[in-house]
Amino acid sequence: MKITFYGHACLGIQIKDIHILVDPFITGNEKAAAINIETLKADYILLTHAHQDHILDAEAIAKRTGAVIVSNYEIVLHYQGLGLEGHPMNHGGSWDFEFGTVKYVNAVHTSSFPDGTYGGQPGGFVIEGEHKTIYIAGDTALTMDMKLIPMQTKLDLAILPIGDNFTMGVNDAILASDFVACDKVLGYHFDTFGYIEVDHADAKRKFFDKNKDLMLLDIGESVTL
Ligand code: NI
Ligand code: MN
C-alpha cells in the first residue's frame, strides 16, 4: 500500500493497481500548486465530509476519470445528482471493494456543503488492503469512539489531523494514537491556512517523547507500507 500526501487532507492511496484519492482539495491550496489535478489517477474518490477543503476538486476529477465516489449517503446522493458514480455508505458500515475493505467510522465534526446544504454526518475511514490496515480520521475531535477501532483491527498507520482549531491538535492526536493503538502516525490537516499552522519539530518531539512516530510528508511525497 502506497500513500501519497497531496496537501491538507488529500491523500492518494495505491493498492495493487487501484488508485484511491481521499478528500481532494488541491486547486484551492496554494501550497499544492505543483500538483496537477489533470494527471492525478483515481478509480475511487473517498470523501470524509462535505466541507470545501475536502471536496473542492472531487467533481472535476470524477468527471475526468469516471472514479466512483465513496462517502456517506447524503454526499454520494449529491454527486449522483450531478451524473457521477457513487457508492453510499454510513457510519459503522463496511464494504468489500475490488482493492480491499472500507469501513466508514465516526468523526466528531460538522459536514455542510459550501452552499450550506446538508452533507450528512462527517466520518473517517478504516481501509484494509494488501494485508495492511490504515485509519484516516478525517476532520475530528478526539473521541472515545476511536477506541472501538483496535477492538476489531490492528492498524499499521493512523492518519490524524494535527492542525488544531478545526480539529484535534497535536496533544489530542497523541491521545488518539493511544485510543486506536497505533504508534505510527501520519499527520495531516495542518499548515494550509493561518488557523492550523504547526511547529513541525515541536510536534515530532511531543510524539517522540511518548515513544510514538509522527511522520510529516512534503506535498507530493509518498510512504509505502
Ligand atoms: Ni471540515
Ligand atoms: Mn477540514
Side-chain angles (χ1 to χ4, degrees):
M1 186 187 291
K2 182 181 174 189
I3 298 158
T4 305
F5 181 55
Y6 289 121
H8 195 52
C10 183
L11 303 160
I13 300 167
Q14 187 181 348
I15 301 173
K16 296 173 195 149
D17 58 346
I18 302 293
H19 294 267
I20 302 156
L21 195 61
V22 182
D23 286 359
F25 172 75
I26 293 161
T27 59
N29 182 1
E30 287 173 19
K31 292 182 158 62
I35 308 298
N36 181 1
I37 65 163
E38 296 302 323
T39 55
L40 280 183
K41 292 179 179 174
D43 298 296
Y44 294 87
I45 297 174
L46 272 54
L47 301 175
T48 60
H49 66 294
H51 285 161
Q52 180 84 319
D53 61 314
H54 297 258
I55 65 159
L56 180 67
D57 298 312
E59 184 180 343
I61 296 169
K63 275 194 174 135
R64 177 178 59 79
T65 59
V68 177
I69 292 171
V70 180
S71 189
N72 68 37
Y73 175 76
E74 289 79 6
I75 289 173
V76 168
L77 203 64
H78 168 86
Y79 286 104
Q80 286 174 331
L82 298 172
L84 298 168
E85 289 284 311
H87 179 108
M89 300 186 73
N90 223 323
H91 301 88
S94 297
W95 187 259
D96 292 328
F97 291 88
E98 59 184 320
F99 57 82
T101 304
V102 174
K103 185 171 188 176
Y104 192 61
V105 296
N106 293 349
V108 175
H109 192 67
T110 56
S111 177
S112 48
F113 282 97
D115 68 358
T117 55
Y118 180 56
Q121 296 292 307
F125 296 102
V126 176
I127 302 171
E128 190 272 324
E130 282 187 309
H131 309 293
K132 297 290 178 187
T133 306
I134 64 170
Y135 167 49
I136 300 171
D139 283 9
T140 184
L142 178 66
T143 167
M144 297 295 271
D145 287 344
M146 292 169 177
K147 292 190 174 189
L148 298 171
I149 292 168
M151 295 172 80
Q152 289 178 313
T153 188
K154 170 100 184 67
L155 295 178
D156 295 289
L157 180 69
I159 301 174
L160 306 176
I162 60 166
D164 219 331
N165 191 72
F166 296 114
T167 66
M168 296 187 288
V170 170
N171 294 332
D172 282 1
I174 290 170
L175 288 173
S177 80
D178 282 336
F179 284 9
V180 299
C182 182
D183 291 335
K184 193 173 178 187
V185 173
L186 173 63
Y188 80 161
H189 210 276
F190 65 96
D191 283 0
T192 317
F193 24 79
Y195 291 121
I196 61 172
E197 278 167 12
V198 163
D199 180 331
H200 295 203
D202 183 62
K204 286 182 177 179
R205 189 169 53 243
K206 283 178 174 164
F207 273 80
F208 182 80
D209 286 346
K210 299 288 183 185
N211 294 313
K212 296 173 186 292
D213 179 29
L214 175 68
M215 277 188 291
L216 300 177
L217 298 177
D218 290 332
I219 294 176
E221 195 180 353
S222 300
V223 61
T224 301
L225 300 180

